[in-house]
Amino acid sequence: MKKINRLFVLLTVLAAWTGCNDEAFLTEKPETFYTVDNAFSTSEQVDQIVVACYSQIRTMFCMAEENNTAFVFRGGSGTDMYDVSIVRRGNRFNDYGILNPSAAEFYNNYSHWYQLISKANLALYAAELPQITWASTADKTYATAQARFFRAFCYRNLGELYGGVPVVTEIATSPRYDFERTTRVETYQFAIDELEAILNDLPETTATPGRLVRGAAQHNLALLYIDRGVALEEEGKASEAQTAFDKSISYASQLIDGGLYSLMTERFGSRKDENPEFYYAATVAEQTPDRLYSAVGYPLEGNVYWDLFQEGNQNYQEDNREAIWVAQIDYAAYRTEDKQSFLPYTREFGMAMRDVISEHIQGMLEDQGGRGILCVIPTFYTRDIIYEGKWGDDLRNSESVHRRIILGNVATSPYFGKPIPWSVLYRDGENQEAVNTAETYGYPISCKIATDKYTGLADGEIRSNLFRDEYLIRLPETILLRAEAKWRRGDNAGAAADVNLLRARSKCGYMVQASDVNLDLILDERARELVYEETRWNTLLRMGGTVAVDRIKKYAYWDDPRATLTKNFNLWPIPQAVIDTNKDIPMQQNPGW
């Protein structure tokens, strides 16, 4: 009976199907069919696209993806400042015998920017839909200003890394294979035009930490006008370049001298009355009062620079007057729903000396900077050279900020409770592989990537992540941009005065003179101030000429670039996949690639 019933149903369906010749019957009429035009009904939905832009920025700049693309773009691997450990040689990014336009890092980074551009364009399109009702004109103005900022920010970064790229200002409704590259100058100019158009639409301050303010646009304009000036110089347009540098100085000065922002010069914030403290201990059970660094004669003293990187101190709303734009990290959100709300800096930047000289130091506690796994390591330029001689007297080189004293924590070691000499840490006199291993496993520990008080230990966190907010723009970088623009204008005395603003805050023993100022000095000061903060590839490539090549060859830890870097370049290549798929209009590759 069941078989008969099934057959009857099947025949009935077939008869209905074959007997119908009414086209209207065959036309699909879905009850719900979302398009870009009808998917949005409220201004809150438009704001959610803007929030998605913030989220993608945080992913890229806080290394939440924890892959080699992040280690290269944000971590700076392969530059003068950072390299890879011996155990990560498969992820090296300065062996030009294997590095080519098909490298995933180039494609993934390029794609990230265009994904963000797509979100920004979608927000701008949705904001103008007739069914969207805004609470006020000001709300709409701010929403569109944020979206245009993100679009400009993308093109600034694309211009610095890849040069002239296709400028896309509309959402795509069908596949395209005919994108045309602009010039590098044109790419920068588009970003400049966007930011200048929205400058007065961004508020000076907001009650909500992390949201964009006018200062973020002014800072980026100061940088973009330097970028444009350098590119114009390379086109032989020296007069236009000098005008661009003047504009950079003007925008930077609005921030530096405007009264809203200032360098923090006195201790402040959540730990202003504390000093960092460590135990020399391989296990938690050994963290007893008698094993404190201070208990055996090695106390550390906190300072204002250390305060800048303690939890709860990063936002303008928390009285940090040098914070201009800050990515938001929230531990409670991380625990409940936002699994990218963390900084994996201890893990990705952290050392692992425990695996090299275990007879003297063991464990993965605070005394060793937590649970590092050596994805990006500082070169000797970053850890030592920039602090040699007269440059060493500097709060940024103090033990609380750049900790070099590491006490042995193995009871049988002759260095138990005493500083382990770096000659021992680096296994001086042993074979080259042992030395390379030690030198790439151990280095001074920065307060920017580790802490003496890890959040979440009671919840099972394992000293891998930090849960503080992260600077995207800090006033010292604006000051360094103005110094650079002044130097490019031939004003060495003015450039030295700006650099000395930072050196005075850091209580440096040596103040620079006009005769000291050159591009190397500016890059060195950026390294001292912005280590683990700036995107170093952007910095080197935007300088033009052979600056990137020369410094990578000079300061790389491994000899790969010295052996294989036979071309001059100041741009990353356009990803080969982008060139191959743009079949309707040929897209030229960057020189040298």
Side-chain angles (χ1 to χ4, degrees), residues 4-16:
I4 294 173
N5 288 340
R6 288 172 183 162
L7 180 60
F8 175 78
V9 171
L10 177 60
L11 290 172
T12 302
V13 171
L14 286 172

Side-chain angles (χ1 to χ4, degrees), residues 188-422:
Y188 291 145
Q189 189 61 54
F190 175 82
I192 288 169
D193 291 344
E194 284 284 274
L195 292 178
E196 289 184 332
I198 61 158
L199 200 56
N200 293 324
D201 295 336
L202 292 171
E204 285 196 318
T205 61
T206 68
T208 306
R211 286 280 184 163
L212 284 163
V213 293
R214 190 175 304 160
Q218 291 167 324
H219 173 94
N220 274 274
L221 283 165
L223 178 48
L224 276 160
Y225 272 109
I226 292 177
D227 290 346
R228 187 175 185 275
V230 172
L232 285 167
E233 283 184 331
E234 295 201 325
E235 292 183 358
K237 300 175 181 178
S239 178
E240 291 181 53
Q242 294 300 299
T243 300
F245 299 142
D246 285 339
K247 290 284 287 184
S248 173
I249 293 167
S250 175
Y251 276 116
S253 294
Q254 290 175 33
L255 277 177
I256 299 164
D257 304 325
L260 191 63
Y261 299 98
S262 59
L263 293 177
M264 302 300 289
T265 57
E266 302 293 335
R267 297 207 59 187
F268 73 101
S270 61
R271 301 187 64 184
K272 66 179 181 180
D273 298 320
E274 298 181 32
N275 296 318
E277 182 66 281
F278 297 93
Y279 297 90
Y280 54 101
T283 67
V284 172
E286 295 171 346
Q287 290 183 327
T288 54
D290 60 307
R291 291 196 177 186
L292 287 168
Y293 272 45
S294 59
V296 291
Y298 299 98
L300 281 73
E301 184 176 345
N303 57 56
V304 64
Y305 197 83
W306 179 80
D307 287 335
L308 286 166
F309 300 94
Q310 304 311 302
E311 278 190 36
N313 290 1
Q314 283 70 54
N315 292 292
Y316 189 90
Q317 293 82 354
E318 296 160 339
D319 294 325
N320 182 341
R321 289 297 179 257
E322 62 187 69
I324 298 172
W325 187 25
V326 181
Q328 299 300 294
I329 305 293
D330 185 271
Y331 180 65
Y334 168 81
R335 294 287 299 171
T336 56
E337 59 181 0
D338 187 357
K339 296 307 178 185
Q340 290 195 337
S341 190
F342 68 101
L343 300 180
Y345 293 176
T346 290
R347 178 165 58 254
E348 309 307 353
F349 288 118
M351 76 164 192
M353 188 56 76
R354 60 186 178 271
D355 295 333
V356 178
I357 54 166
S358 58
E359 68 271 28
H360 301 305
I361 191 163
Q362 296 178 4
M364 294 180 284
L365 302 184
E366 290 84 352
D367 61 319
Q368 293 182 68
R371 188 177 176 271
I373 60 172
L374 305 162
C375 293
V376 182
I377 69 166
T379 62
F380 276 103
Y381 165 78
T382 304
R383 60 180 92 168
D384 291 328
I385 292 173
I386 56 175
Y387 292 114
E388 287 179 346
K390 63 187 178 185
W391 306 102
D393 185 8
D394 187 326
L395 287 186
R396 298 167 299 190
N397 190 40
S398 63
E399 279 297 314
S400 61
V401 173
H402 192 66
R403 183 160 60 90
R404 301 175 187 274
I405 294 176
I406 300 173
L407 304 185
N409 65 20
V410 178
T412 56
S413 167
Y415 301 109
F416 180 60
K418 300 175 183 178
I420 308 173
W422 282 95

Side-chain angles (χ1 to χ4, degrees), residues 45 64 83 119 167 190 343 391 557:
Q45 290 173 321
D83 218 313
K119 290 184 177 76
V167 172
F190 175 82
L343 300 180
W391 306 102
Y557 177 82

Side-chain angles (χ1 to χ4, degrees), residues 10-195:
L10 177 60
L11 290 172
T12 302
V13 171
L14 286 172
W17 177 261
T18 56
C20 178
N21 58 8
D22 186 349
E23 289 188 10
F25 177 82
L26 296 176
T27 301
E28 290 188 29
K29 296 179 180 178
E31 305 237 345
T32 303
F33 194 91
Y34 285 114
T35 68
V36 175
D37 290 314
N38 68 18
F40 299 95
S41 58
T42 69
S43 59
E44 288 79 7
Q45 290 173 321
V46 178
D47 189 60
Q48 284 304 305
I49 310 172
V50 175
V51 170
C53 294
Y54 284 101
S55 179
Q56 184 163 335
I57 288 290
R58 190 184 66 177
T59 296
M60 295 175 68
F61 281 81
C62 298
M63 302 206 303
E65 290 183 330
E66 298 191 75
N67 57 28
N68 211 44
T69 300
F71 305 152
V72 170
F73 165 66
R74 173 60 178 82
S77 183
T79 63
D80 54 347
M81 289 185 67
Y82 311 99
D83 218 313
V84 295
S85 71
I86 194 170
V87 76
R88 305 291 179 191
R89 291 280 284 145
N91 295 332
R92 63 192 183 276
F93 196 74
N94 56 16
D95 183 343
Y96 291 83
I98 59 176
L99 197 61
N100 59 57
S102 295
E105 294 83 359
F106 297 135
Y107 178 78
N108 292 339
N109 181 266
Y110 187 94
S111 297
H112 278 330
W113 294 118
Y114 277 101
Q115 290 164 14
L116 183 51
I117 290 166
S118 177
K119 290 184 177 76
N121 285 340
L122 179 59
L124 291 167
Y125 183 89
E128 299 300 333
L129 291 170
Q131 68 266 28
I132 302 297
T133 300
W134 295 89
S136 67
T137 301
D139 284 353
K140 179 182 178 182
T141 298
Y142 185 43
T144 57
Q146 290 170 90
R148 292 182 76 177
F149 174 94
F150 284 118
R151 192 163 66 179
F153 186 71
C154 290
Y155 285 113
R156 192 214 90 200
N157 279 274
L158 283 164
E160 289 172 348
L161 295 171
Y162 299 96
V165 295
V167 172
V168 181
T169 60
E170 297 179 352
I171 58 174
T173 57
S174 61
R176 283 186 57 187
Y177 311 100
D178 61 349
F179 293 103
E180 294 188 66
R181 292 186 68 178
T182 62
T183 67
R184 199 176 198 181
V185 170
E186 289 168 342
T187 299
Y188 291 145
Q189 189 61 54
F190 175 82
I192 288 169
D193 291 344
E194 284 284 274
L195 292 178

Side-chain angles (χ1 to χ4, degrees), residues 60-61 72-76 79 156-157 160-161 477 526 530 533-540:
M60 295 175 68
F61 281 81
V72 170
F73 165 66
R74 173 60 178 82
T79 63
R156 192 214 90 200
N157 279 274
E160 289 172 348
L161 295 171
E477 184 177 12
R526 288 186 68 93
L530 301 172
E533 292 184 71
E534 72 169 333
T535 48
R536 190 66 170 186
W537 270 111
N538 289 65
T539 298
L540 294 184

